[in-house]
Amino acid sequence: MNRLLMTLRILLTFALGLLITAAQAQRTLTLAAEDDWAPYSSMKADRSGVEGLSPDLVRAAFRTQDIEVNFLVVPFSRCLMYAETGRVAGCFNATITEANRNTYHWHATPLFHEDLAIFARSDAARAGLTEKHLEGKLVGITAGYTYPTSFMTNPRITRQSANSDANLLNMLAAGRVEYILLNTMPGYMRIANTPALQGRVKLVGTLQTDGFWIAFSKQAAGGEALAATFEQGLLAIKASGEYDRITTRFRRQFGL
């Protein structure tokens, strides 16, 4: 009997050790998520958290690496600042520019790609515009967002900032700027959901197609390793088909 009890104790101790090891393997990290860039990343209507393609992909990729992700949902300018100062492990959705390339740790593969479009008022005669056509014009941009270095440093383009994409569209409709830069799908969604804008603005060109990444902090501990870990997770869900399942569900949701 004593031998049986001793065996049971050994087995229980071993099982408890496995549980502790498994719990320790499940790490948790906090990322900042943009609050106002539907359908990719935005605050839920009930303000209970974040929703969109980006958090779905981020969760899935980190899950393959036994990492649970918590999201701090904030305006994008604050999102980047929190990552830069190390308050969070990283921020999405960021594009890589010459201005921020060395500020953060980056994973190699972007989360997704999206066009950066040029919008004008609906009475604009021209289409197929590029950066060259913006020279000599007043162009609206959103404060705190990342834009191509060539556009931001072009001395022939006059740039005017708005506090949000919504304000940017209102500025354009009111004639306060000649053109604005918005990503295509978020721009179309805002127009479709704002009756006052329908029929008043339209897409007239594409500046470029951008990739979007998580900007991992250089100030938070383990930022470079996390970027590498996320890259492994992202490649894993691409290889398994999970990435395609998530993006297909996303596109069907918005009729794409």
Side-chain angles (χ1 to χ4, degrees), residues 20 64 78 164:
I20 292 173
T64 69
R78 196 181 307 166
S164 67

Side-chain angles (χ1 to χ4, degrees), residues 57-58 60-62 64-65 107-112 212-213 228-240 243:
L57 291 175
V58 170
F62 270 123
T64 69
Q65 307 301 304
H107 47 101
T109 307
L111 273 171
F112 59 89
F212 289 84
W213 286 261
T229 299
F230 180 73
E231 175 70 13
Q232 292 174 3
L234 187 56
L235 294 180
I237 62 172
K238 283 177 175 283
S240 71
Y243 184 96

